[in-house]
Every structure is written in structure tokens, then in C-alpha cells.
Amino acid sequence: MKRGFIILISCFFLAKAGLTADLFALLPPAEICDNGIDDDGDGLIDCYDPDCCAADECQYSYYDPCAMECVEDFTPQAISVTREWTSNANNWHPYNTPIVMDFDGDGQTEIIGNKGTWQGLIEYKNLLVLDSYDGTVKAEIETPWFRHTGTTLCAGDVDLDGASEIFFRISGAFRNEEAIRGKMVCYSFDGNTYAQKWMSTETVSNGIPSLSDLNRDGIPELIIGNTILNSLTGDILLEGPADGANGNGISIVADVLPDEYCGYCKDEELIVGNEVYAIHLDEDNPSNNQLILANRVFSGSGNHGDGFTVLADMDMDGDLDAIINSANDGTTSTLYVWDIQQPVIIDHVTIIATTEGHASIPAVRDINKDGSPEIVVSSSNSLQLFSFQDQLFSNQWAIETNDWSSRSGSPLFDLNGDGFFEVLHRDQEFFRILSATDGTVLFEDTCRSTNLYEYPVIVDIDEDGAAEILCSCENELRAYGSASSPWVSTRYIWNQYAYRYTNVNDDGTIPVTAQFPQIPRNRFNGSLLQYSNEFEKSLLSVNFDLDTTIQQGQSVLLNPLVNTSEPVSFSWSPSDYLNCDNCREVVATPMENQEYELLITNAAGCSASGTATIQLVSCGKSEIAIPNAFTPDNDGHNDVFEVYLKPSINPQGFIRIFNRWGNLVFSANNLQATWDGNFNGKLAPSELYLLQIGFTCDDGIQQVINGELYLLR
């Protein structure tokens, strides 16, 4: 109220001077909840902004920015799993990462994947369209041949007709006509059947396609490796250098560089492996299109090269870093974190891989809620979790698997909303749900496949408000759900291998301006994540280990135990005698008995507080007198060294005297002891000695005083 009152009075006087319009021009604008713009400049767009909580425009948005129930602790709950259905026809290829969208515009999602049974590394053709409610085949799409080992799909409603298009790369195999080998192709539902919409006129390198609106003109671009195409026509808009990185075929688009970093760094950049490109698309004159290498990190002794790339704010400095799993020439891969804004490797670790040096896409999330992300990756016959604390890798756990490929992905999700994340992983023998905390197997089901890049996905396939898991096994697709209480609610879509839920809208369209992934409550800061409002119960508590008593004039570190599921702000009260009033840890030097309260608050509106009490005692140098010289010459005056105590001092302390070489020349465990200046039966030389006096006050406070002592003869 005070702030509003001051503004009102100021406006009155400024109006007299004709300056009211200038004042309001300085005030931040309000967030408009349906224009795709961050109006108030807080980094949050439309329904991601808490200002839009309960707004009509956000009624059907998957993201809920409203305040939530606050709790002080989470309790692990058992995971209970059932198989809801298995696809029919026995012809679903196990290399599929299922793509879930509304492909025919009927308002219900379908599942699309490659047709075929595992018979070796050979080509297959045709796509299957499955009913998401029961797994039955709704349609089969006639396509050219493609290789499952390097082909994945992506989808999105790029022409805004209510039905999503399907994109993939045609195989360069001899089974296809030479004229179409290696070209991109788009299929869509025309109202009666699925038909080819376009085929690119030129070939593209092998890779994993994705969709983003790079120039924010409302027409998404199709990206595969370092090649950019028009998603409506298949025309190639830009190509990176043939010898450039391609991120193992995965392209990531985000605003990772400051606007002033380069001439075309204002909007989003293209990150492929160890290279980042600025993008300039000229709609009026495509000949001016440019893909400009803005930064790269060079390969070297650490093998920091091209590879599977994902983005997250790993060093928690507010901008995105690249997490790259780079296949080496031998039997290892290198997992490293690159600060994209400069050619700096923050840290790296070597991972055992196959004889071909393959690597998996990293899954990233702050699993233990310590503010620093963890990383899950596959290695040869192992699944591992690394922490990234203080910008250093540390292996937290590893479990044995039957994954020779070292390429399979492992999404992270909190299925039952208990505040603890699970890892979903399928190897050559089993589909497993594991505790992300320690790798404990929570559920296991036989699911055979010679696995490669694929991974299970989390979607609400039947729109019942509860998440399910889709997992490809040999010749079939399975849907898993909860066998007891429903799992948490989630989205109905998973549109591409490099899925990030801020990069696709609920209706399958691609956002013109994508939400910055590292900002909203830190929930989007990772990869292989599906949305859920897993923090409907927002964890928040603060406690202090103990209250303390100190000597007057001393300082004490106040280090509270903060338990939180998301970032918080800190406020200390009172702020007197503190070195900081908005830090987590503070140093207090009170001049009197003092009680300090710490209030912590998160973006959801939850708050918690704790108090620390500091008692002061005056026992100290004023209670003890320590001479700094004595003259042991037997003249009856000042012949021995002794300390003088007030009654508040317990005499059961210690006296230690050292010569200038650090050798102990006198020691006593009673403060009433005296030293006559002799050492080992001989006169100690006249020189400077060092004192150490320890004592205990009546209230139990221990003190140690250091000083100097001159022996004069």
C-alpha cells in the first residue's frame, strides 16, 4: 500500500509539470496472456507467467502458473504398474520412439511409428498409425524405404489446418529409386487418407529432424543436422558446411547467445554438437540467407567434439550451456559441458561405449533438488547418473544393463507425484522403471529388442488425466499405466525425438516465440522431460541446526537447512549486524542478544520461516590479565610468568609457551601455574616467546587467546 500511495502522489505533482505520460512510459507493461510475447520483460510468456494465473486465455493450457499447496516434506510412494494394452498385427518395429499427435484433425491423438519386425540392419517401409486408446492399427501410410538405425520422425501442424504433418528422411538405400534417395519428405492427412505432401528437391545428410520457428514469422522451419528447410514446401533455406558439426543428427534451437554477441544473434541460434550458428533468414530475398558460425569449442585431448547435444543451465548463471555426449574413435565417449557463450569446457568425463564409440542423448534434470542438474546417460551395458555439483562431474550411481549399443535414451519423470523422479529405460531384454535417486529397479518387464537410439515416452494417451508410458518392444508397442492410484496428469503429445515441451503447443502448432527453457521455476531446465504439474505440492521448509552462544565481539555463520523443490528468495529480519540480508548463508556479529528470522519464498507463492537465537557472553580478555614480559633474575620482582584471573574464569584451562622455532618450552593444564623461565633444567634465553592461553567461562564458553611474551634477564 505504501508503494501505491507514493506513486499516486508523485503522479499528482508530475501531472502539474506535464510529466505523467513520461512516468507511465517507465512502468513495465502488464502481461497479455494470449499474444505469444513476454510483455512485462520477466522472461515468462503468456500462460507461463504467474500474472496469467486463472486467466480465461489459459484455461486450456497445459501449464498451470497458479499457486500450489505447500508442504514441508515429500514421502516416497510405491510404483505400481500394469500393461494397459499391446498393439495388434505384430508389426511395430522396436527401434521406434513413438510420436504422439493429432494427425487426422479429429481432436484425438494418434501414435505413429515405423512398420517392421526386427530381422537385422535392413531397410523397411511404411508407417503405422495406431489408435492411442487401444493400440489398434487405424491406417498404414505407404512410404519409400528407410533405415530404422538412423531414421526418426518429427511432427507438427505447420500449415495450421488442425492436423499435424509428418516428416522424415528417405533412406539412401538401393531399394529406393536413385532420384529420391536421401531427400526429406512430408506426409499429411488429406481428409481421406495419408498422402505425400512434398519431397525436397535436394538431398540432406542423415539425421534426426525437428521443428522450430527460427525467424518468428509463424512458419516453422524443419531442421535436420545443420540443414534448414521450409516446412511447407521442403525448399532448402540454409546448409551448414559439409565438414561442420551436426550434433549426431540432432539440432537444438534456442536463444543461447546475447544479442550483441554477433550481427545476427538477436533471436534464436542453431546448436549442433560443438558448434553454434547465428541464423539470418530473409523472407524477401532468400539469396541473403546466412548460417554463420558464431562460436565453437575445438576437439582436443579431451575429445570435445561433435555429438548428441542437449541444453540446460548447468552452471546456474542464467544462460544455457550445451551438454554433449561425443563418440570417440575407440570404445569410449566423452560427456562434457560447454559454456556456449565462450569456447570453454566446464568439465568432462569419459564413458565406456561400444567398439564403434557410440553415445546416447543425455537426460538432464535437477533430481535431488539441490539447485544443480544431474545427467543420466547410457553406456555399454550400463546406465549411469552423474551429478554436476560445483561445476564438476561426479558419478552418483551406475547399474548393469543389457544395452550393448550405448545409444538408448532414458527420460526422467515423477510418475506418482511424490517428489522423487524415476528413470525410464529399455535395453535388449527389459523395460525398467528405476529410482533416479539411487538407481534401484522399481519395475521390470521383459521387452526384447536389439536397441539403438529409441526410448520410452510419457503421454496421456487416452486423455483420462493420468500419464501413461509408451515403450517399443520387439514387434509391438506397449502402453503402461498405474495399477493403483492414477499417475500424475501430463500432456497428450510427444512430437519429436529432440522433444522439449516448451517447443510445441497443445494443438500441435509450433510456438512463434518459444519460452526460454531455463526460466520458469527452473522446471524446464533439462532434456528428455515431459510436463507434469509434479509440484502441485510445493516443498518448502527451513530449519536451523541449533541456537548458539558466542563471545561478545565474535561472529557466527548462520547456515539454515533449506528444503525446497524449486528456487527461492531469502529475507533476513532484522538485518542488523548481518553481512547480507538476502543471502542463504549470513555472518552475524551482534552487539546484544539477538533473534534472527529467515523467510524463504518461491515463485509459487509458498513461504516458510525459521529462527536462530544468538546469546552473548562477556567472558573474555576483560576477565583475564596476561603479562607480556617477565624478568626471572631472582630479585623478588616479576620473577615468574603468571596470569591473573577474575572469579568468572574457571582455572582449569591451559598455558602453552613456545620459542621462536615453535618448540614447546612450557605447558600446564591449570591457569594458576607459573613459569620460572627454565627449560629442561637450564635457563631459557632472553628472547620473544609465543603464548597460547585456553580457558572456560562459567557458562561453558571456551576461549583461546594467543599472545607474545618477552623473557628479559
Side-chain angles (χ1 to χ4, degrees):
M1 291 300 294
K2 282 186 177 180
R3 183 179 300 171
F5 179 76
I6 292 171
I7 290 175
L8 199 62
I9 296 300
S10 300
C11 288
F12 174 80
F13 287 105
L14 287 171
K16 292 290 187 180
L19 298 177
T20 309
D22 293 335
L23 172 68
F24 282 105
L26 297 175
L27 297 177
E31 183 69 24
I32 300 172
C33 301
D34 61 353
N35 64 353
I37 298 173
D38 174 21
D39 302 283
D40 56 7
D42 62 359
L44 302 171
I45 298 172
D46 291 358
C47 297
Y48 297 107
D49 195 320
D51 294 344
C52 295
C53 172
D56 291 340
E57 298 91 335
C58 300
Q59 181 179 357
Y60 298 106
S61 172
Y62 74 88
Y63 185 77
D64 181 5
C66 298
M68 297 162 290
E69 178 185 355
C70 307
V71 298
E72 293 187 357
D73 200 5
F74 283 138
T75 303
Q77 302 294 319
I79 295 291
S80 180
V81 185
T82 185
R83 196 186 303 181
E84 293 189 355
W85 54 252
T86 300
S87 64
N88 65 353
N90 198 37
N91 57 2
W92 179 270
H93 201 283
Y95 285 168
N96 278 311
T97 297
I99 302 298
V100 188
M101 301 282 285
D102 180 4
F103 292 101
D104 57 14
D106 65 352
Q108 177 184 318
T109 57
E110 289 80 36
I111 305 167
I112 285 188
N114 302 328
K115 179 183 178 181
T117 57
W118 169 245
Q119 295 176 354
L121 297 178
I122 60 177
E123 292 78 28
Y124 288 90
K125 62 184 303 183
N126 295 358
L127 298 173
L128 294 178
V129 183
L130 305 185
D131 188 305
S132 62
Y133 281 78
D134 58 15
T136 57
V137 176
K138 292 181 66 174
E140 182 171 333
I141 307 175
E142 295 288 335
T143 71
W145 297 87
F146 44 79
R147 289 183 66 90
H148 290 286
T149 56
T151 299
T152 62
L153 312 173
C154 79
D157 182 7
V158 298
D159 60 4
L160 309 182
D161 67 349
S164 292
E165 284 72 39
I166 309 153
F167 305 90
F168 66 90
R169 179 184 181 272
I170 300 171
S171 170
F174 73 93
R175 296 176 185 267
N176 288 318
E177 298 176 14
E178 185 174 356
I180 68 171
R181 295 175 189 170
K183 295 183 177 180
M184 287 300 297
V185 66
C186 171
Y187 282 79
S188 65
F189 188 73
D190 62 10
N192 296 305
T193 187
Y194 291 88
Q196 179 180 303
K197 187 174 183 179
W198 56 252
M199 181 183 298
S200 64
T201 57
E202 301 177 56
T203 61
V204 298
S205 60
N206 199 13
I208 297 173
S210 61
L211 290 164
S212 290
D213 191 348
L214 298 174
N215 57 354
R216 301 180 179 178
D217 65 350
I219 302 174
E221 279 68 49
L222 177 65
I223 310 107
I224 182 166
N226 58 10
T227 301
I228 300 172
L229 302 91
N230 184 311
S231 65
L232 296 178
T233 65
D235 294 334
I236 293 180
L237 303 175
L238 281 171
E239 287 187 280
D243 59 350
N246 70 355
N248 252 22
I250 290 185
S251 305
I252 305 294
V253 173
D255 188 359
V256 296
L257 297 176
D259 292 352
E260 64 276 8
Y261 195 90
C262 70
Y264 293 119
C265 290
K266 181 179 180 181
D267 294 321
E268 295 179 314
E269 288 79 39
L270 178 68
I271 305 94
V272 281
N274 59 333
E275 297 178 346
V276 55
Y277 290 87
I279 306 161
H280 175 59
L281 295 175
D282 189 334
E283 182 179 355
D284 297 326
N285 190 357
S287 63
N288 291 333
N289 292 350
Q290 296 183 63
L291 197 61
I292 304 161
L293 182 63
N295 201 359
R296 70 172 301 186
V297 64
F298 291 96
S299 301
S301 59
N303 295 314
H304 307 132
D306 195 7
F308 274 123
T309 308
V310 298
L311 301 176
D313 184 5
M314 298 299 295
D315 53 11
M316 306 309 292
D317 63 354
D319 54 48
L320 291 171
D321 309 297
I323 306 97
I324 303 172
N325 199 0
S326 177
N328 302 329
D329 294 334
T331 58
T332 62
S333 68
T334 299
L335 179 69
Y336 66 96
V337 176
W338 168 32
D339 185 340
I340 303 174
Q341 294 75 37
Q342 51 188 331
V344 172
I345 300 299
I346 300 177
D347 196 23
H348 75 275
V349 64
T350 301
I351 297 173
I352 301 299
T354 68
T355 55
E356 300 174 3
H358 289 299
S360 75
I361 181 172
V364 180
R365 186 66 193 253
D366 182 5
I367 292 172
N368 59 11
K369 305 179 181 68
D370 64 352
S372 299
E374 282 74 42
I375 304 173
V376 176
V377 291
S378 293
S379 59
S380 186
N381 295 318
S382 178
L383 185 68
Q384 302 185 60
L385 181 138
F386 294 91
S387 67
F388 196 73
Q389 189 75 32
D390 299 324
Q391 302 188 25
L392 294 173
F393 278 113
S394 175
N395 188 281
Q396 297 300 296
W397 56 256
I399 66 161
E400 183 178 349
T401 66
N402 295 309
D403 178 14
W404 174 85
S405 76
S406 66
R407 285 179 278 187
S408 56
S410 304
L412 296 162
F413 196 71
D414 179 8
L415 288 165
N416 54 9
D418 62 355
F420 297 87
F421 289 98
E422 286 81 46
V423 182
L424 312 182
H425 182 71
R426 195 215 68 194
D427 62 16
Q428 296 174 203
E429 298 291 334
F430 300 102
F431 163 63
R432 294 187 178 98
I433 301 175
L434 308 101
S435 165
T437 303
D438 56 14
T440 300
V441 176
L442 306 175
F443 172 79
E444 180 178 274
D445 192 19
T446 300
C447 176
R448 301 186 188 281
S449 168
T450 305
N451 56 320
L452 287 172
Y453 297 114
E454 71 283 349
Y455 55 76
V457 301
I458 307 102
V459 287
D460 181 2
I461 55 175
D462 50 11
E463 302 185 36
D464 64 351
E468 282 88 21
I469 300 168
L470 293 175
C471 183
S472 297
C473 300
E474 187 173 13
N475 304 332
E476 63 188 27
L477 178 66
R478 297 178 187 172
Y480 293 93
S482 175
S484 54
S485 299
W487 289 337
V488 298
S489 60
T490 189
R491 303 188 75 188
Y492 311 132
I493 60 178
W494 192 289
N495 76 314
Q496 60 190 31
Y497 189 88
Y499 173 74
R500 187 189 289 275
Y501 53 81
T502 57
N503 283 5
V504 61
N505 296 320
D506 289 336
D507 59 2
T509 59
I510 306 303
V512 174
T513 303
Q515 172 61 56
F516 299 129
Q518 73 272 30
I519 293 180
R521 304 186 190 172
N522 204 28
R523 297 183 186 180
F524 305 156
N525 190 34
S527 71
L528 291 194
L529 305 178
Q530 175 62 290
Y531 174 79
S532 74
N533 196 8
E534 68 258 19
F535 299 115
E536 287 179 353
K537 294 182 178 179
S538 187
L539 174 66
L540 203 63
S541 65
V542 56
N543 293 286
F544 289 88
D545 279 334
L546 48 85
D547 295 332
T548 187
T549 304
I550 62 172
Q551 184 76 20
Q552 187 170 20
Q554 283 187 322
S555 298
V556 62
L557 176 67
L558 301 181
N559 183 15
L561 300 174
V562 176
N563 196 13
T564 177
S565 55
E566 49 195 308
V568 297
S569 62
F570 302 90
S571 177
W572 290 85
S573 178
S575 59
D576 302 339
Y577 313 116
L578 298 179
N579 68 326
C580 179
D581 62 2
N582 61 356
C583 303
R584 177 171 181 158
E585 297 179 357
V586 299
V587 176
T589 313
M591 302 303 295
E592 57 187 359
N593 294 342
Q594 186 69 61
E595 180 178 272
Y596 289 104
E597 179 184 45
L598 172 62
L599 176 69
I600 60 174
T601 306
N602 64 19
C606 301
S607 62
S609 63
T611 59
T613 301
I614 302 175
Q615 298 285 340
L616 299 186
V617 294
S618 60
C619 169
K621 292 182 180 180
S622 63
E623 309 294 299
I624 185 171
I626 305 173
N628 61 2
F630 76 114
T631 57
D633 53 8
N634 295 317
D635 66 352
H637 300 284
N638 201 28
D639 288 330
V640 296
F641 168 79
E642 60 182 327
V643 297
Y644 303 94
L645 310 177
K646 287 187 176 181
S648 61
I649 300 295
N650 186 337
Q652 299 303 313
F654 65 82
I655 301 173
R656 295 171 187 152
I657 303 176
F658 303 85
N659 64 19
R660 60 179 177 169
W661 309 110
N663 297 319
L664 184 68
V665 298
F666 177 78
S667 177
N669 290 324
N670 191 306
L671 297 180
Q672 296 174 336
T674 61
W675 183 39
D676 60 5
N678 293 325
F679 176 56
N680 287 336
K682 299 180 180 180
L683 297 178
S686 297
E687 60 182 6
L688 177 67
Y689 293 82
L690 301 178
L691 285 175
Q692 194 176 73
I693 309 295
F695 56 92
T696 303
C697 301
D698 286 347
D699 53 17
I701 299 298
Q702 295 180 340
Q703 283 283 298
V704 176
I705 297 177
N706 296 299
E708 297 177 342
L709 173 67
Y710 285 94
L711 190 157
L712 304 173
R713 293 189 185 277

